[in-house]
Amino acid sequence: MITVYGTGAARSRRVLWALEEVGAPYEVVTVQLPARDHNPEYLRINPTGALPAITDGDMVLTESLAICEYVARKHGSDLALNPGDPDYYDYLQLIYFGEATLAPPLSWARRFASHPNGVSDARQKFGERLEFLRAKLSDGRDYLVAGRLTLADISVGYTLGLSDLFGLHDVVPADVVAYEDRLKARPAYQRAYAG
């Protein structure tokens, strides 16, 4: 059974979402941060002290999107596309887009909140980056690629949810909010975010 180490709104939520989508059994171990102070034994699993992490037998993974990929492939789900699939590179780009491009302005909003233009600059950048999603969704599709929910949606959907936590959700355009609402309506999403 997979053991997920995480806490609250941490990236462990997207791991739980992937696990719920594939119906895999798992247990959650809550780690209070900073781990060095509150859960030093966790540092044997992830020496950086960052969350999430999983163990599955001898397998240890500490990057949330790598964990989601592992879960999808181990459980034979259609959350992951394969090289050679028609939308594979678009899928790959969108997985990274959710974490590497869409998420940073959220961190900036929190980190530079006391800076004169910190939040407004983060808000502007976040809005600009959302235009990429608007273009993807402009043809009326329900999901980003392959006509079904994939890890690209889990990556992007998680970040959209964080925007509410960091006070930038009001920047999200209505068509992207409608997409996010479709994701949030999924029973697996609701189970992952229930705890």
Side-chain angles (χ1 to χ4, degrees):
M1 179 184 309
I2 294 176
T3 301
V4 180
Y5 298 86
T7 187
R11 286 169 172 81
S12 53
R13 289 288 178 198
R14 72 172 145 213
V15 170
L16 298 180
W17 184 7
L19 285 161
E20 289 290 345
E21 288 289 349
V22 302
Y26 64 90
E27 64 177 337
V28 176
V29 174
T30 301
V31 177
Q32 187 179 355
L33 295 176
R36 289 191 193 315
D37 298 337
H38 302 288
N39 299 97
E41 66 282 356
Y42 174 68
L43 299 177
R44 288 191 306 257
I45 295 163
N46 186 356
T48 70
L51 294 172
I54 66 159
T55 57
D56 186 20
D58 293 336
M59 176 64 65
V60 177
L61 291 171
T62 61
E63 288 294 331
S64 65
L65 292 172
I67 296 167
C68 290
E69 181 92 10
Y70 172 78
V71 165
R73 297 207 182 274
K74 177 176 180 172
H75 293 279
S77 80
D78 60 357
L79 288 176
L81 274 65
N82 297 306
D85 287 346
D87 292 330
Y88 178 72
Y89 289 106
D90 199 21
Y91 155 83
L92 207 57
Q93 175 172 268
L94 284 158
I95 287 175
Y96 297 129
F97 172 81
E99 181 67 13
T101 302
L102 193 59
L106 304 179
S107 297
W108 304 338
R110 187 170 92 185
R111 176 176 243 166
F112 302 114
S114 63
H115 211 266
N117 297 321
V119 174
S120 63
D121 288 350
R123 180 179 303 284
Q124 177 186 346
K125 289 296 180 193
F126 187 60
E128 290 169 0
R129 293 166 187 209
L130 286 166
E131 289 304 313
F132 180 74
L133 286 181
R134 289 189 80 197
K136 275 283 166 220
L137 298 166
S138 65
D139 61 3
R141 65 180 70 188
D142 286 337
Y143 301 107
L144 293 174
V145 293
R148 65 180 191 267
L149 182 87
T150 67
L151 295 177
D153 298 294
I154 290 176
S155 174
V156 168
Y158 169 78
T159 301
L160 290 172
L162 276 184
S163 71
D164 196 32
L165 186 66
F166 293 126
L168 296 184
H169 198 269
D170 61 315
V171 176
V172 181
D175 48 353
V176 177
V177 169
Y179 160 72
E180 181 186 16
D181 288 345
R182 286 191 297 278
L183 298 178
K184 288 180 174 180
R186 295 183 65 84
Y189 179 100
Q190 293 172 8
R191 288 189 302 270
Y193 280 81

